[in-house]
Amino acid sequence: MSTTTTSPPPVRTATATADRPVLDPATGAVIRTVPDSTLAEVDAAVARARAAFTGGDWPALSRTQRGRLLLRAADVIEARAETLYRLETRNNGRPVTETRAQLSRVPEWFRYNAGLLAARRDAVLPSDGPYLTYQRRAPLGVCGIITPFNHPLLILARSLSAALATGNTVVVKPSETTPLSTLALVDLLAEAGIPDGVVTVVTGGREVGERLTGHPDVAKITLTGGTEAGRAAAVATARRFARVTAELGGKTPIVVFDDVAPEVAAEGAAFAAFVAAGQSCVAGSRFLVQRGSYERFVAALARRADAIRIGDPSDPRTQLGPMISAAQRDRVLDLVAAGRAEGGRVVAGGRAPDLPAPLDGGFFLRPTVLADATVDMRVAQEEIFGPVAVVVPFDDEADALAKANDNRFGLGAGVWTRDLARAHRVADRIEAGMVWVNDHHRLEPSLPWGGIKESGTGRDAGTESFDDFTWIKTVVVRTAADDVDWYGADPSADDAPVRLN
């Protein structure tokens, strides 16, 4: 195992009196400690952000000025990319080749939202009579962003870049297990010239997130996490009519038709299921495979799973890293055992790998394929959040759609077929916020990201996210040269003033 370590930059966070250890999931060793913020320190962070919004320069900057700072931030992040790759890989265990591919795109979100800032136009609205009616957009104020452990920087950049572009100030609460790259990013933003107080980080567990979500001075919460956390955030923000965008759990169905070679589909399935060790809300976790190619697909996916290289995440040859914690690995193994007990067949994985020290202290799990499942099994209904592919046979298109939609989640979905008409037809009828055809995990700054049902509300990325960090003011200007004497005019006269209310 490589012994190279990366020291994170100094921490810019609300001062805290306690420390929380941050673990390396590949070895179980402590990387360092970070402050465990108290509730009073969360309040102080919000107050600091509020002061930067009401009395600072950030909201008052011109579009051009804010856009330049966002573009400069993108350049600084890009210049420090290798440090960020290594730091995030060590903190969340994702193989460095995957992390490099993902984080190399973080600057795109800052550049995209800087572009929207320059190009977005306020609407002029049709109005009867001598009136010019138009809309203006204004920033919301202090926004809270709560991010998960699996994609700390990418998910943060998605929301943070839009919040900053529109003139808001932000308090960020990263996952308590993976705060290091977030803390490093905030220092890079300061280096790029983002003013003090515009972005503040508070670190800690659930209580910190709950305090931020329920704070009366926080105008919007953007949350990526579990369904129950999203439900709690929705209730807390509803009490004060604040906004909430929540990307929550998923149980992504991947429908594989028998006009695609099973071996080709299995290659795509492996990527969908096992990238990031399956710890992604849109990970392919339910593979619905047409019976004509079912057995060949299962065999091909099992071969591919068994061939995946497991090891040190910092090694470019590694294809699968550890899970985030021992508790999460144990939960996944319990679900696999439940699937086996309900009649499923484990054809690959299903156990921890044998690895040399110090990796033997890590939280690894072999990529697992559970075949012969039915849609009513726990493994086909619950989010697993680990490297487990559940395979279910189907008969025809109607059967595939019924099984795909038989779930409380609706975040992502996939379709594998060479029939173009069927691809559009099935994509249209699958209940999911995002659908990929003959691919998976594809994203762009311009593509709205989010789900339906218990997978959340609202959208990250795209113009939808940009606009949702603002509120709309409608301005009505009377342009006629004469004055209006409403009470002095004869209401029966032809030229009497007209009011709609």
Side-chain angles (χ1 to χ4, degrees), residues 23 29 65 89-90 111 130 135 146 184 187 230 291 305 375 380 384 399 429 442 450 458 462 484 489:
L23 302 184
Q65 290 170 318
T89 285
R90 191 170 182 218
R111 291 171 179 142
Q135 290 181 334
I146 301 174
D187 284 307
R291 290 190 189 277
V375 292
I384 296 177
D399 187 35
R429 294 181 61 192
R442 181 68 186 176
V484 175

Side-chain angles (χ1 to χ4, degrees), residues 62-111:
S62 70
R63 291 186 177 201
T64 299
Q65 290 170 318
R66 268 205 313 276
R68 284 175 179 166
L69 286 171
L70 289 174
L71 292 174
R72 190 181 304 162
D75 291 342
V76 171
I77 293 167
E78 203 163 59
R80 303 294 203 287
E82 189 64 30
T83 298
L84 294 174
Y85 304 154
R86 297 288 173 181
L87 185 60
E88 188 155 298
T89 285
R90 191 170 182 218
N91 196 177
N92 77 350
R94 190 169 182 179
V96 69
T97 50
E98 290 183 12
T99 306
R100 180 178 287 114
Q102 185 181 80
L103 297 196
S104 65
R105 304 199 63 192
V106 164
E108 293 180 29
W109 265 262
F110 286 88
R111 291 171 179 142

Side-chain angles (χ1 to χ4, degrees), residues 209-216 218 221 229-244:
E210 289 174 348
R211 186 69 160 204
L212 181 61
T213 300
H215 200 287
V218 173
I221 287 289
R231 204 184 310 277
V235 171
T237 51
R239 289 194 181 103
R240 63 183 189 279
F241 301 104
R243 297 187 189 183
V244 62

Side-chain angles (χ1 to χ4, degrees), residues 34-45:
V34 298
D36 201 358
S37 300
T38 66
L39 301 187
E41 289 159 352
V42 177
D43 294 344

Side-chain angles (χ1 to χ4, degrees), residues 98-380:
E98 290 183 12
T99 306
R100 180 178 287 114
Q102 185 181 80
L103 297 196
S104 65
R105 304 199 63 192
V106 164
E108 293 180 29
W109 265 262
F110 286 88
R111 291 171 179 142
Y112 172 78
N113 281 291
L116 283 183
L117 183 59
R120 210 83 174 113
R121 296 179 179 179
D122 293 324
V124 175
L125 307 177
S127 186
D128 290 336
Y131 297 97
L132 171 65
T133 304
Y134 61 91
Q135 290 181 334
R136 298 295 303 272
R137 287 188 174 272
L140 300 175
V142 179
C143 297
I145 300 177
I146 301 174
T147 58
F149 70 81
N150 53 345
H151 312 301
L153 276 195
L154 183 69
I155 288 176
L156 174 59
R158 208 165 57 191
S159 300
L160 179 62
S161 57
L164 294 181
T166 46
N168 299 281
T169 58
V170 179
V171 178
V172 181
K173 206 296 278 187
S175 167
E176 63 269 31
T177 58
T178 57
L180 300 186
S181 56
T182 296
L183 294 168
L185 178 69
V186 173
D187 284 307
L188 296 182
L189 295 179
E191 182 180 330
I194 304 298
D196 191 51
V198 172
V199 183
T200 302
V201 180
V202 289
T203 50
R206 184 182 67 184
E207 296 81 4
V208 172
E210 289 174 348
R211 186 69 160 204
L212 181 61
T213 300
H215 200 287
D217 287 336
V218 173
K220 177 178 176 175
I221 287 289
T222 300
L223 166 84
T224 302
T227 298
E228 290 311 309
R231 204 184 310 277
V235 171
T237 51
R239 289 194 181 103
R240 63 183 189 279
F241 301 104
R243 297 187 189 183
V244 62
T245 295
E247 185 214 311
L248 308 176
K251 191 64 180 175
T252 301
I254 310 292
V255 182
V256 180
F257 288 96
D258 59 11
D259 60 346
V260 178
E263 294 74 17
V264 172
E267 289 290 338
F271 172 72
F274 304 135
V275 70
Q279 297 173 119
S280 173
C281 293
V282 294
S285 57
R286 289 187 294 150
F287 291 89
L288 310 175
V289 183
Q290 201 159 16
R291 290 190 189 277
S293 59
Y294 179 81
E295 291 298 341
R296 285 176 59 195
F297 175 90
V298 168
L301 183 56
R303 287 193 301 272
R304 168 47 63 198
D306 286 338
I308 289 176
R309 292 189 297 275
I310 305 171
D312 175 8
S314 68
D315 186 341
R317 297 169 297 179
T318 295
Q319 296 175 319
L320 187 80
M323 302 189 65
I324 193 61
S325 67
Q328 180 63 15
R329 181 181 61 183
D330 291 345
R331 178 184 177 277
V332 172
L333 285 171
D334 286 346
L335 281 169
V336 172
R340 184 187 280 117
E342 289 182 277
R345 175 168 51 107
V346 175
V347 296
R351 60 179 179 84
D354 296 321
L355 295 172
L359 299 178
D360 57 348
F363 314 128
F364 294 87
L365 178 64
R366 296 190 64 84
T368 299
V369 180
L370 186 67
D372 301 345
T374 59
V375 292
D376 58 336
M377 288 181 177
R378 282 184 63 199
V379 288

